[in-house]
Amino acid sequence: MTAANKLGIAIMTSGGDSAGMNPAVKCAADYAAQSGYIPYLVYDGLRGLVADSIHLASRELLSGMMHKGGTLLRSSRSPEFFDIEVRRKAYENLKARGIGRLIVIGGDGSFRALNQFHSDFQIPFAGIPATIDNDIAGTDYCLGVDTALNVIRQSIDSIRDTASSFSRAFVVEVMGRHCGYLALTSALTCGAEICLIPEVEYNLDSIGARISAEISEGRSYIIAVVAEGTKMAEYVTRYINDSIGMEARLTVLGHVQRGGSPTVYDRMMAYQFAIAAVDALKAGETSSIMVYRDGTYGRVPIAEVANRKYRMDTALLKLAAPLAC
Ligand code: F6P
């Protein structure tokens, strides 16, 4: 196949960054080239698509990516993409380079934007789920989650050292937007005594009675993991301090959870999702999202992701109950 009749595929990252985006970009570009396409990289997310920040995926641009956290292509949240004239500019930029397909690595908001773009200009796209929140419907896993969980695990292990040394309670607020997946998984794997997430009802009075009984039996410190979506972290800290009577401190982990070198698991997932995305476009799919469900890789139409709400596994949610009462 000569360069002239090859087809361009542009690869971009969009929305909140997460570890695993860089390996996904590299694997998608390499595999697209092996499959006879010409891979391009879009810098700065949707904004870069409009501003024509589009570059041929050269060896130089693709090197040194696998171990880097965040996204080397950078990202943006760009409300201006709602404007059809702005989207037309993006289309003209792609057309000028012979780019007829897109791979977008990001969240469901980015997938919806690309779906609108496809309806407008018939540019097929494949979506790779990437967000530390793990809140995209249709898939059990989103890129970046394992790395974020390991950052949280390391932080809580460290906090435990000082909590036990000073006989204090620590409330650790973790990210996840409206989803409690990060908080619950961290609480279970770090041995927290308390966990509050938006999906599970909690009762502070019964938590207080349980913890007070444990204190009288010899418990000397407490770890409570609270999902940001509950907006309860400060309140719980005051409650433990004032009502349970144990000196309490609040640690908000914040954006540290979004950074860090991707774990081996995230690199492998990036690899699998990237190959699936190129294969989906090769097979003529126009708007599909890559998913990992019940241990199997697959793809679903955008509607299955965009029109549904993510629901956490009920068996996992059951494990939260003893930590919330
Ligand atoms: O969606 C990822 C996420 O990190 C959420 O967990 C968090 O609520 C939000 O993004 C923070 O957004 P920003 O980076 O715009 O402050």
Side-chain angles (χ1 to χ4, degrees):
M1 188 179 267
T2 64
N5 58 17
K6 277 189 181 179
L7 287 169
I9 289 191
I11 302 156
M12 62 191 290
T13 55
S14 178
D17 56 278
S18 70
M21 283 183 156
N22 291 322
V25 169
K26 181 176 168 47
C27 294
D30 286 346
Y31 185 60
Q34 285 160 20
S35 305
Y37 295 103
I38 303 176
Y40 287 83
L41 306 178
V42 181
Y43 284 77
D44 299 318
L46 293 173
R47 195 187 300 149
L49 208 55
V50 178
D52 206 17
S53 306
I54 305 170
H55 300 270
L56 205 55
S58 63
R59 288 246 170 269
E60 191 189 348
L61 289 178
L62 291 176
S63 60
M65 290 192 106
M66 291 300 277
H67 65 299
K68 292 267 173 67
T71 165
L72 291 167
L73 297 190
R74 300 186 295 272
S75 190
S76 60
R77 293 194 165 114
S78 29
E80 67 273 14
F81 208 72
F82 285 117
D83 180 344
I84 175 77
E85 290 315 316
V86 170
R87 294 199 295 276
R88 193 181 308 282
K89 178 83 184 64
Y91 171 66
E92 296 299 338
N93 292 337
L94 295 177
K95 201 171 84 175
R97 290 183 176 80
I99 298 171
R101 291 165 178 80
L102 278 168
I103 292 178
V104 59
I105 305 159
D108 48 5
S110 309
F111 300 156
R112 277 190 207 98
L114 267 289
N115 195 37
Q116 181 59 56
F117 191 59
H118 172 249
S119 307
D120 299 332
F121 304 107
Q122 291 74 54
I123 298 281
F125 74 97
I128 293 180
T131 165
I132 66 165
D133 301 340
N134 211 30
D135 63 350
I136 299 181
T139 183
D140 296 341
Y141 192 76
C142 302
L143 288 184
V145 172
D146 187 61
T147 306
L149 285 172
N150 276 289
V151 170
I152 299 168
R153 193 240 338 120
Q154 196 171 8
S155 308
I156 296 181
D157 287 352
S158 299
I159 283 171
R160 182 181 294 282
D161 290 342
T162 178
S164 61
S165 304
F166 255 81
S167 302
R168 279 173 170 163
F170 272 83
V171 175
V172 183
E173 186 192 88
V174 307
M175 277 187 166
R177 213 179 283 271
H178 307 297
C179 178
Y181 183 87
L182 284 183
L184 175 53
T185 310
S186 302
L188 294 171
T189 55
C190 295
E193 285 69 44
I194 301 169
C195 178
L196 304 192
I197 59 174
E199 295 87 343
V200 171
E201 263 184 48
Y202 45 82
N203 182 328
L204 276 188
D205 289 335
S206 73
I207 290 174
R210 169 169 60 88
I211 297 294
S212 297
E214 290 182 12
I215 290 171
S216 64
E217 288 161 15
R219 170 171 296 292
S220 61
Y221 69 94
I222 304 166
I223 304 285
V225 178
V226 176
E228 66 168 340
T230 63
K231 298 188 173 25
M232 284 292 285
E234 284 186 16
Y235 189 88
V236 174
T237 310
R238 277 198 305 275
Y239 180 84
I240 296 174
N241 199 78
D242 301 346
S243 301
I244 299 184
M246 184 180 280
E247 189 183 7
R249 294 281 189 276
L250 169 62
T251 299
V252 178
L253 291 183
H255 287 77
V256 71
Q257 296 160 95
R258 288 238 297 258
S261 177
T263 58
V264 168
Y265 188 76
D266 267 322
R267 295 181 200 196
M268 275 310 290
M269 292 304 286
Y271 201 88
Q272 301 277 10
F273 278 146
I275 286 178
V278 174
D279 281 344
L281 292 171
K282 234 187 327 187
E285 295 279 346
T286 57
S287 46
S288 60
I289 309 301
M290 305 312 109
V291 296
Y292 180 71
R293 233 167 18 195
D294 302 327
T296 306
Y297 299 93
R299 55 184 186 240
V300 295
I302 172 81
E304 269 198 44
V305 170
N307 304 336
R308 286 175 48 215
K309 196 172 150 24
Y310 171 79
R311 299 223 177 275
M312 226 194 284
D313 179 46
T314 46
L316 186 60
L317 283 175
K318 270 197 194 144
L319 303 177
L323 302 177
C325 64

